[in-house]
Amino acid sequence: MRTQVGIVGAGPAGLLLAHLLHREGIESVVLENQTRRRVEERVRAGLLEQNTTDVLERSGVGERMRREGLTHHGIVLRFDGESHRIAITDLTGRSITIYGQQEVVKDLIAARLAYGGRILFEAADVALEGFDGRSPAISATHAGERIRIDCDYIAGCDGSHGVSRGFIPEGALTHFERQYPFAWLGILARAPPISPELIYARHDRGFALFTMRSASLTRAYLQCAPDEDLSAWSDRRIWDELQARLGTGDALRLTEGEIVLRGVTPMRSYVCEPMQYGRLFLAGDVAHIVPPTGAKGLNLAVHDICMLAEGIAAAYRGDASLLERYSARCLKRVWRAEHFSWWMTSMLHPVHGDSFNDRLQVAQLDYVTRSPAAAKSLAENYAGLPYAADDR
Ligand code: APR
Ligand code: PHB
């Protein structure tokens, strides 16, 4: 088999790349090791920057998102028993949209299949070769046969557990990493949201986040231990803990409902540099991870892909300079988001026994909710700085 761009991974990064390349008249094949059903049902974060919704709309896959997505203009920070609204749109002129990542994935798969694009699901044992020269190739086992796809470029979009990064020679990449002593226990519940906006709560019992997916689905997260035993969390215990951390004297009470999904999300910061080696380009979670507190993971992946699609299209037109600068163009935004996500995480998650840290967190929350300058800084990072800012 031969194609122009071989793509590993059918998450938002790989699928969006295939879609944007198609719009430039460039063909690709996507190899994914899971089933289509699994990929479409995986529940992840769901907060899109305006940059991201603009990319999806402009490229013709934003129709359902526009109809079903929830546009938000602010978030609430809660600490010391009080709520403080950060007016994101008033401060930045930009809004944010709640639309589940798996819905973005469904829309991209539907668009790709509608124009006859190839996605090979259940492709096992993906291996990459030849990308340090001019003849990259991907091999995999698909439908019981070993296949080989020769291509001009390879995009590694296979997420945090992906294999593509591992084919780059040892020593060519530098890894930057930070671990956190906590994780998030996330739930999805059939319960109407009690607040029209997201609530990020710092509480002495631990952080909690209230968010949503629709008028009848609540999503919420609780700070927990990285090795938290889910079987110790009955529905009753989860609701009681959410009520304790999110509720206050002003009588906010969550509406409870059936918990239809639960899981533990690890917290990690990671970046590899550079994000390219020869004709292999890394994009999305395989190249960088952020803790979910700033909701930047998916948005960063979309930015990487815009840079990659633009670079590949220019290279086919005879100008390889953008593609050569792919990593540098991405990393500026990646590190801004790494800092913001680390900062939000550090401000909101108490660490047991560290009372100095507790006071710092409250001092910082007090500052960002009182000072218009500090609130604006939080808001512009949360909403996402305009893409044009990266190339300056
Ligand atoms: N071979 C083929 N496909 C693979 C392999 C492999 N060896 N390993 C992983 N994959 C697939 C996964 O099954 C998944 O569908 O690659 C895809 C990677 O998708 P994501 O994990 O969604 O990563 P990405 O597309 O970079 O999107 C980033 O996703 O994880 C969230 O928080 C993250 O929102 C961010 C976004
Ligand atoms: C979500 O809706 O799942 C969500 C929102 C904001 C975050 C993280 C997750 O910071």
Side-chain angles (χ1 to χ4, degrees):
M1 213 189 287
R2 161 133 207 112
T3 191
Q4 289 177 289
V5 182
I7 301 174
V8 187
L15 292 166
L16 182 63
L17 179 62
H19 176 66
L20 295 183
L21 290 176
H22 169 77
R23 290 174 56 86
E24 296 281 351
I26 298 165
E27 59 162 56
S28 63
V29 175
V30 180
L31 289 117
E32 163 62 50
N33 66 356
Q34 303 286 337
T35 61
R36 175 176 178 184
R37 186 165 171 189
R38 168 97 184 92
V39 169
E40 291 191 335
E41 288 183 351
R42 230 168 11 199
V43 175
R44 296 268 186 74
L47 194 132
L48 311 183
E49 293 178 358
Q50 195 170 311
N51 291 312
T52 299
T53 50
D54 286 351
V55 169
L56 296 174
E57 290 206 13
R58 273 202 310 265
S59 68
V61 285
E63 196 265 331
R64 193 166 67 96
M65 176 187 70
R66 205 167 30 244
R67 246 185 309 122
E68 297 179 14
L70 308 170
T71 307
H72 284 198
H73 300 291
I75 58 168
V76 173
L77 295 179
R78 217 168 161 90
F79 63 99
D80 278 353
E82 276 177 25
S83 291
H84 305 260
R85 181 169 188 266
I86 304 285
I88 304 281
T89 304
D90 290 347
L91 290 162
T92 64
R94 299 161 82 76
S95 60
I96 46 186
T97 300
I98 288 281
Y99 189 62
Q101 180 171 311
Q102 79 272 28
E103 306 306 323
V104 174
V105 164
K106 280 182 207 158
D107 295 345
L108 286 167
I109 291 178
R112 175 138 185 90
L113 297 180
Y115 59 69
R118 280 175 294 176
I119 309 176
L120 307 182
F121 289 99
E122 296 179 81
D125 302 323
V126 164
L128 314 181
E129 61 180 88
F131 52 83
D132 49 349
R134 301 198 133 264
S135 44
I138 307 181
S139 50
T141 303
H142 185 250
E145 272 178 50
R146 196 71 193 157
I147 55 166
R148 180 190 161 98
I149 304 172
D150 291 296
C151 44
D152 300 324
Y153 302 101
I154 300 176
C157 303
D158 44 350
S160 55
H161 302 293
V163 294
S164 58
R165 200 177 63 223
F167 287 93
I168 296 177
E170 191 76 35
L173 300 179
T174 307
H175 307 271
F176 301 85
E177 191 164 12
R178 178 133 308 183
Q179 304 280 354
Y180 301 86
F182 38 74
W184 280 9
L185 193 169
I187 62 146
L188 188 67
R190 281 192 226 287
I194 35 102
S195 156
E197 294 181 336
L198 273 62
I199 305 171
Y200 290 80
R202 185 213 173 275
H203 192 280
D204 287 339
R205 299 177 70 92
F207 168 76
L209 170 60
F210 169 84
T211 170
M212 67 207 72
R213 284 296 175 271
S214 69
S216 57
L217 277 178
T218 288
R219 184 142 172 82
Y221 300 91
L222 288 166
Q223 177 183 345
C224 65
D227 57 352
E228 193 72 38
D229 176 11
L230 268 180
S231 68
W233 286 85
S234 63
D235 288 16
R236 186 67 266 139
R237 181 172 172 210
I238 291 174
W239 287 117
D240 285 348
E241 199 57 38
L242 283 168
Q243 303 286 12
R245 297 187 194 182
L246 288 161
T248 62
D250 59 15
L252 178 82
R253 266 197 85 72
L254 296 174
T255 311
E256 298 181 7
E258 184 198 353
I259 296 180
V260 290
L261 196 94
R262 69 186 71 202
V264 173
T265 309
M267 303 284 258
R268 195 159 80 95
S269 296
Y270 168 80
V271 181
C272 83
E273 289 189 7
M275 292 167 54
Q276 65 193 97
Y277 183 86
R279 287 174 171 246
L280 168 60
F281 298 86
L282 304 177
D285 274 18
V286 71
H288 42 71
I289 307 282
V290 286
T293 324
K296 290 291 160 213
L298 171 60
N299 296 296
L300 272 187
V302 168
H303 178 262
D304 290 351
I305 293 305
C306 289
M307 298 300 107
L308 188 52
E310 195 178 279
I312 291 175
Y316 277 116
R317 288 193 299 265
D319 173 9
S321 64
L322 276 183
L323 201 49
E324 278 158 18
R325 289 199 297 120
Y326 165 71
S327 181
R329 293 180 85 201
C330 293
L331 283 168
K332 252 191 188 180
R333 177 167 289 261
V334 167
W335 278 111
R336 176 86 301 278
E338 289 291 343
H339 179 270
F340 179 65
S341 308
W342 162 84
W343 176 76
M344 284 281 279
T345 302
S346 308
M347 178 170 71
L348 289 161
H349 295 74
V351 177
H352 188 65
D354 191 346
S355 52
F356 187 81
N357 190 49
D358 291 342
R359 293 291 190 279
L360 289 184
Q361 290 179 335
V362 172
Q364 188 62 15
L365 281 161
D366 194 49
Y367 178 53
V368 292
T369 52
R370 262 175 210 266
S371 153
K376 186 163 182 169
S377 168
L378 188 154
E380 72 175 356
N381 278 284
Y382 194 85
L385 292 150
Y387 279 5
D390 294 320
D391 264 342
R392 264 184 240 132

